[in-house]
Amino acid sequence: MEGRSAAPHQQDGSVASPRRSPTQQRSRERVERMLAAASALIAAQGSDAMRMGEVAERAGVSIGSLYQFFPDKRAIVWALAERYTAESQACIAAALKDVADAEGLRRAFSELVDIYYRLFLAEPVMRDIWSGTQADKALRELELADSRANAEFLVAVLKRLRPDADPVALETTAFLVWQMGEAAMRLAISVDRQEGDRLVAAYKRMALRELVGE
């Protein structure tokens, strides 16, 4: 995903996004330190417990400098969510761009699900952000936009495999598959590992039956 998505809004309608994008190298490095500090704090204690003063102290910047780029911690969480979203979209696009047959789709899709699941298990920040999407309207909208974008990559493959199929039906199937995948990952990481593994395997079977008739 290039650039920024629509910024999250506060309850009063104000935007909770970085106030400005860094243009100088020094500023970009400072913002990277801020995000790295926030990631470490979220991994250790969760985003709810994170405080702006802690982020500034850990990043080695003044609180005023932090507020220059992030007006509140929701803006930090949003920036991290966008980063994970962009990385996941790049991974999905690369995995699907050369798929030319049903077996290739089956293999690529299965590998993508496994990669995504491992990321959720390995990245406490990612888990924290996406486990809280249902309580944050802005993050729900970002997740929805992410699912639609990922569905487009899948639609492109399905159109190559089924050139005579109804394109609207393909778009609906692809969008539902990705959105169900988000829900399946959240469920899988909320239970013990063995049950989570079974849930992810079941999701893959159901999705592949719909996509390639497995």
Side-chain angles (χ1 to χ4, degrees), residues 78-100:
W78 173 265
L80 291 171
E82 278 197 319
R83 176 165 295 187
Y84 282 119
T85 296
E87 290 172 355
S88 69
Q89 286 187 10
C91 178
I92 291 164
L96 295 179
K97 69 182 179 69
D98 295 326
V99 172

Side-chain angles (χ1 to χ4, degrees), residues 3-190:
R4 283 200 172 276
S5 304
H9 289 75
Q10 305 278 35
Q11 291 181 349
D12 62 3
S14 61
V15 175
S17 63
R19 288 177 178 170
R20 62 186 178 87
S21 298
T23 56
Q24 297 181 345
Q25 179 66 24
R26 183 187 301 178
S27 295
R28 288 194 293 270
E29 291 173 353
R30 192 183 311 148
V31 167
E32 286 301 315
R33 292 205 309 274
M34 295 172 189
L35 292 176
S39 293
L41 289 167
I42 292 172
Q45 62 192 31
S47 58
D48 287 343
M50 182 181 70
R51 297 292 178 265
M52 296 292 279
E54 292 178 310
V55 176
E57 181 179 1
R58 191 178 187 105
V61 301
S62 69
I63 191 69
S65 181
L66 178 63
Y67 279 124
Q68 277 188 315
F69 296 98
F70 302 102
D72 57 28
K73 73 176 183 179
R74 288 184 71 244
I76 295 176
V77 171
W78 173 265
L80 291 171
E82 278 197 319
R83 176 165 295 187
Y84 282 119
T85 296
E87 290 172 355
S88 69
Q89 286 187 10
C91 178
I92 291 164
L96 295 179
K97 69 182 179 69
D98 295 326
V99 172
D101 54 34
E103 179 56 34
L105 176 56
R106 182 181 294 110
R107 182 172 57 253
F109 183 83
S110 182
E111 289 174 355
L112 281 171
V113 172
D114 289 340
I115 289 170
Y116 210 51
Y117 183 39
R118 288 197 297 270
L119 280 174
F120 266 90
L121 290 171
E123 292 286 350
V125 178
M126 192 175 185
R127 290 200 305 272
D128 182 278
I129 290 170
W130 293 116
S131 65
T133 54
Q134 301 310 302
D136 189 308
K137 184 175 184 295
L139 286 179
R140 287 203 309 274
E141 291 173 353
L142 179 61
E143 181 189 54
L144 189 62
D146 184 40
S147 290
R148 289 191 186 280
N150 292 335
E152 287 301 313
F153 300 131
L154 186 54
V155 167
V157 175
L158 294 176
K159 285 181 177 178
R160 291 198 294 271
L161 301 186
R162 309 178 201 169
D164 298 326
D166 177 3
V168 175
L170 295 182
E171 290 167 5
T172 301
T173 295
F175 181 40
L176 184 58
V177 163
W178 281 119
Q179 188 61 29
M180 288 176 63
E182 297 282 358
M185 292 301 143
R186 275 197 296 271
L187 179 59
I189 64 173
S190 68

